Amino acid sequence: MLLVKRSIFTKILLSVLIATIIPFVLSNYISYQITGKAVNDQLVELNQNSMAITASGLHAYFHELSMLGLAYYSDPALNRILSSETLQTPAESVYITQHLEGIFARYLEVGSVSYKSALTNKQFNVGTAYASRVRIPDFDDDRKLSRPHEELTHAFQVTHVGGERRLRVNRYFLDITTRKTIGLTTFDVQDTQVRERVGALTTSQDSAIYVFLQDDLQLLYASEDANDGETDWVDALRERMQGRGGITKGSLRHPEGTYIYYRDVSSALPLTLVKFVPQSVIDEARTTALGRSMAIQIGAVLLAAVMAAFISYVILQRVERLLQHIKRLQMGDFRLKAPKRNPVPDELDILEERFHEMALELDRLWNKQFRHQLELSHARLKMLQAQINPHFFYNTLQSIGTLAIKSNAREVSDRLAEFGALFRYSMDIDTEEVYLKEELDHVGHYASLQMGRFKNKLTYAVSCPEEAYPIRMPKMILQPLVENSIVHGLEKGTGYGEIRVDIELREDALYIRVIDNGKGFTSEQIQAIRQRYASRNAAPSEQRVGIGLANVLARLLLYYGDAFAWDVQSEPYRLTTVTLQLPRNGEARDETVDRR
């Protein structure tokens, strides 16, 4: 029953789980991929909007730095001194230096400031806290630098001072009337203000921010977790930015994450912001969405499992009731309780009703067949009694025995006495249950007659404790087994037979073993006996009562029920053992058995 229950429950549960889990898994996989792309697109869009605001602020800051070089126009005296073609006096030089310090004093991120006059080629330097002074080349007669200097070619340039990246700002001081160059101001700027302005773009510890200047993407700033920007993605970004103006935005996919870029070429200063969003951030976002979806799906699967378990429990209860009815039928009990009628019967209700009808019909047929067998056995017994009068036969044997004694034929008298006892025991049809001692005596008479027949070719021995003698058991159980041993061991065997009956008394049961060295049983024969024994409701055998091992086992089964056990072990022509295990108390399974 447990295997059936497990089997049906497992099938129902697995079917429901498969029908729910597989679609959920497929939908989760598709949703996970789609969500990842949607999250990535959303992150790109949100970050590009933030980058646009940050780029506008950086442009304003860079413009503010650039306008510092125009502060000279607000001071007429300074403008006059710087526009003079004569070499400045010491007082004028001090005046220039003081005004330069005053202009750049409030910009703490500005390092060394250098001004070179295009009229006198005199250079003024202010501040040495952050970097060494810039050596500006002399101007020629056309007021142009006499030799090219890469760091002075653009208004904004990235340079390296002491291993650090700095912003180099170059601003020419022009004559507002002739538009000729009066001088050049150049100064270095640390990235403190740039870091502060782009700090808002950093949303996680693993993200990185890059700030590039000019079309060739000179790296001005990189967050602490970033490298110097000289990677393959920078080369790919340069290819995308080549020749583009205005505002350009997009993203670069990378195995470790996504590089989001925003480029603004306004104010004649190409400025490119790049933010690296690690893949873990994208995965975390879509994993969160997937986790919420899976929580709902797990709840649905658990609900489906509970419903499947409830349905299977209801079904299995009714199946178990049917199996209990079947077991009672196997035990011969046909008095089954009628099933309860439901207003709207289902298939199992109909099955129970049909099964109950079948049990009633089997009860009727079995009673009919049983009565028929009883009548047939009674008729055969009456016919046998009509043919031979047991008392007449036994008295006749006694008379012949008396004549044998008078004729001094003692052996003949002994054999007649044994035969008479054997005949009286067998013909006593009123006694069905005997003591073990009586059964052993009967087998001893039978074995003595057989040993007289076969002389020295047959030996017989019995081993039994005396405390086992009072145990009661069915009549005519051992004699058929000993008879089989003689027939198959001596007559069809090697010509010499050894038969031994060993009886062992234990606390729980009485063990009887009949051992011989005859032909024995093949494995097929033992299997056939077991099959016949297992068919408990089979019709009675057509052989005479007490002949054959199968009939003996069938009688003991009817008498003791499940309390009886047996076993057969056989090695042909060497050793065959038939073991019977009987209850020690000697009580039958059903007290209604007739034991007259």
Side-chain angles (χ1 to χ4, degrees):
M1 175 58 205
L2 186 58
L3 293 177
V4 174
K5 182 179 293 186
R6 286 181 179 176
S7 176
I8 295 178
F9 177 80
T10 302
K11 290 177 181 178
I12 295 177
L13 187 59
L14 287 180
S15 300
V16 173
L17 292 179
I18 290 174
T20 53
I21 291 178
I22 290 180
F24 284 164
V25 171
L26 293 178
S27 64
N28 286 337
Y29 175 78
I30 297 173
S31 175
Y32 187 77
Q33 301 299 327
I34 296 176
T35 303
K37 186 178 183 305
V39 170
N40 184 76
D41 295 342
Q42 186 178 13
L43 285 175
V44 170
E45 183 178 357
L46 292 176
N47 281 282
Q48 285 174 346
N49 294 335
S50 300
M51 288 178 179
I53 299 173
T54 303
S56 178
L58 289 176
H59 268 295
Y61 173 66
F62 293 154
H63 179 71
E64 182 181 351
L65 293 177
S66 178
M67 292 302 294
L68 292 178
L70 302 179
Y72 310 144
Y73 296 106
S74 62
D75 188 342
L78 180 62
N79 189 6
R80 180 183 55 79
I81 295 173
L82 294 177
S83 301
S84 176
E85 295 183 2
T86 61
L87 188 64
Q88 290 82 3
T89 64
E92 291 177 337
S93 298
V94 172
Y95 184 83
I96 293 173
T97 303
Q98 289 178 348
H99 276 74
L100 288 177
E101 290 178 351
I103 292 172
F104 294 96
R106 65 188 184 91
Y107 293 92
L108 300 179
E109 69 272 18
V110 176
S112 176
V113 181
S114 300
Y115 174 80
K116 183 113 181 197
S117 175
L119 302 177
T120 63
N121 281 324
K122 184 175 181 179
Q123 181 171 334
F124 299 89
N125 299 303
V126 177
T128 58
Y130 300 109
S132 61
R133 299 173 180 177
V134 178
R135 183 69 178 175
I136 302 176
D138 293 338
F139 288 88
D140 57 16
D141 296 336
D142 294 331
R143 299 185 183 183
K144 296 181 179 180
L145 295 176
S146 59
R147 54 187 176 87
H149 199 290
E150 183 180 356
E151 296 179 352
L152 306 175
T153 55
H154 296 281
F156 296 94
Q157 196 80 3
V158 177
T159 184
H160 291 77
V161 178
E164 297 182 3
R165 287 183 292 269
R166 300 289 176 85
L167 174 64
R168 175 67 53 82
V169 181
N170 304 306
R171 185 67 175 178
Y172 283 90
F173 180 47
L174 303 177
D175 188 339
I176 59 176
T177 303
T178 62
R179 306 300 298 174
K180 290 184 178 181
T181 302
I182 297 177
L184 172 63
T185 303
T186 179
F187 56 89
D188 293 335
V189 182
Q190 284 185 318
D191 60 0
T192 55
Q193 291 296 320
V194 175
R195 181 185 300 111
E196 181 179 346
R197 283 170 168 77
V198 301
L201 296 177
T202 306
T203 56
S204 66
Q205 184 178 3
D206 297 332
S207 61
I209 305 297
Y210 303 87
V211 179
F212 297 94
L213 294 180
Q214 306 300 343
D215 292 329
D216 56 350
L217 298 183
Q218 302 173 28
L219 180 61
L220 173 63
Y221 170 78
S223 61
E224 295 180 357
D225 296 332
N227 53 24
D228 59 0
E230 299 300 327
T231 57
D232 54 350
W233 64 269
V234 178
D235 297 334
L237 187 61
R238 287 194 180 100
E239 293 180 2
R240 290 196 180 188
M241 297 295 100
Q242 188 174 7
R244 293 192 177 187
I247 295 177
T248 306
K249 55 187 177 181
S251 61
L252 294 173
R253 296 291 295 171
H254 199 266
E256 290 82 12
T258 301
Y259 290 90
I260 306 171
Y261 61 86
Y262 180 89
R263 179 180 175 85
D264 187 355
V265 195
S266 62
S267 303
L269 174 61
L271 176 64
T272 304
L273 298 179
V274 178
K275 178 178 180 180
F276 172 71
V277 179
Q279 188 65 34
S280 60
V281 175
I282 301 174
D283 293 340
E284 182 180 359
R286 61 181 178 180
T287 301
T288 301
L290 179 63
R292 295 175 181 173
S293 176
M294 287 187 62
I296 298 175
Q297 294 174 359
I298 290 174
V301 171
L302 292 178
L303 179 61
V306 170
M307 292 299 298
F310 176 75
I311 293 174
S312 62
Y313 174 76
V314 173
I315 294 176
L316 289 175
Q317 266 195 328
R318 301 166 73 179
V319 173
E320 184 177 2
R321 188 162 59 244
L322 282 175
L323 291 178
Q324 290 176 351
H325 291 338
I326 293 174
K327 185 176 181 180
R328 293 179 62 181
L329 287 180
Q330 290 177 337
M331 298 177 65
D333 185 3
F334 298 94
R335 297 178 300 235
L336 304 180
K337 184 179 179 181
K340 182 180 179 181
R341 287 184 172 274
N342 293 325
V344 183
D346 56 15
E347 288 81 359
L348 287 177
D349 292 327
I350 297 174
L351 178 61
E352 283 190 277
E353 291 179 3
R354 298 294 182 269
F355 185 84
H356 184 258
E357 294 173 358
M358 182 192 70
L360 295 177
E361 183 65 18
L362 284 175
D363 187 28
R364 186 183 65 81
L365 294 176
W366 180 260
N367 289 333
K368 181 179 179 181
Q369 178 71 12
F370 187 71
R371 286 194 299 269
H372 175 72
Q373 292 295 332
L374 287 179
E375 292 173 357
L376 181 61
S377 299
H378 185 69
R380 289 178 176 175
L381 181 60
K382 292 297 183 181
M383 182 179 62
L384 181 62
Q385 289 177 337
Q387 291 177 351
I388 301 177
N389 190 312
H391 294 286
F392 170 76
F393 190 79
Y394 186 72
N395 293 333
T396 303
L397 287 177
Q398 279 189 331
S399 300
I400 297 175
T402 302
L403 292 176
I405 293 175
K406 292 180 179 181
S407 301
N408 208 17
R410 177 63 60 180
E411 185 177 357
V412 175
S413 176
D414 293 341
R415 294 293 177 269
L416 287 174
E418 291 174 347
F419 182 71
L422 184 70
F423 182 75
R424 173 179 290 180
Y425 187 86
S426 301
M427 295 301 295
D428 185 6
I429 61 177
D430 293 331
T431 303
E432 181 181 349
E433 187 179 276
V434 297
Y435 293 108
L436 176 61
K437 181 66 170 61
E438 296 176 316
E439 184 73 4
L440 290 176
D441 291 341
H442 172 68
V443 175
H445 294 320
Y446 175 79
S448 178
L449 291 174
Q450 293 287 15
M451 286 188 293
R453 173 189 173 191
F454 291 102
K455 302 301 181 182
N456 297 328
K457 294 182 179 180
L458 175 66
T459 60
Y460 170 78
V462 177
S463 174
C464 177
E466 293 184 0
E467 55 268 22
Y469 287 158
I471 295 179
R472 300 185 66 83
M473 62 182 295
K475 185 179 179 181
M476 295 296 291
I477 294 299
L478 298 181
Q479 187 267 334
L481 301 181
V482 174
E483 181 180 356
N484 281 343
S485 298
I486 294 175
V487 171
H488 297 285
L490 187 61
E491 298 179 357
K492 297 182 180 180
T494 59
Y496 176 78
E498 293 182 1
I499 302 174
R500 186 171 75 253
V501 177
D502 288 343
I503 298 177
E504 180 183 0
L505 184 62
R506 298 182 184 178
E507 294 182 0
D508 57 341
L510 176 69
Y511 291 84
I512 301 176
R513 298 180 181 87
V514 179
I515 306 170
D516 65 73
N517 64 339
K519 182 180 179 182
F521 300 90
T522 63
S523 58
E524 291 79 8
Q525 290 173 332
I526 296 175
Q527 184 64 25
I529 295 173
R530 293 186 184 276
Q531 290 178 354
R532 181 177 178 184
Y533 174 80
S535 180
R536 302 187 179 186
N537 291 332
S541 172
E542 295 299 326
Q543 297 178 352
R544 285 188 299 113
V545 176
I547 301 300
L549 174 61
N551 285 337
V552 170
L553 298 178
R555 289 180 58 206
L556 292 174
L557 174 63
L558 291 174
Y559 192 82
Y560 292 109
D562 293 335
F564 162 68
W566 63 277
D567 186 35
V568 175
Q569 301 290 334
S570 180
E571 295 183 25
Y573 302 109
R574 293 187 60 188
L575 182 65
T576 298
T577 303
V578 177
T579 303
L580 304 178
Q581 179 183 338
L582 309 181
R584 181 170 178 175
N585 56 11
E587 294 297 328
R589 178 193 63 186
D590 192 350
E591 294 298 335
T592 61
V593 175
D594 185 10
R595 300 180 184 176
R596 296 177 300 169

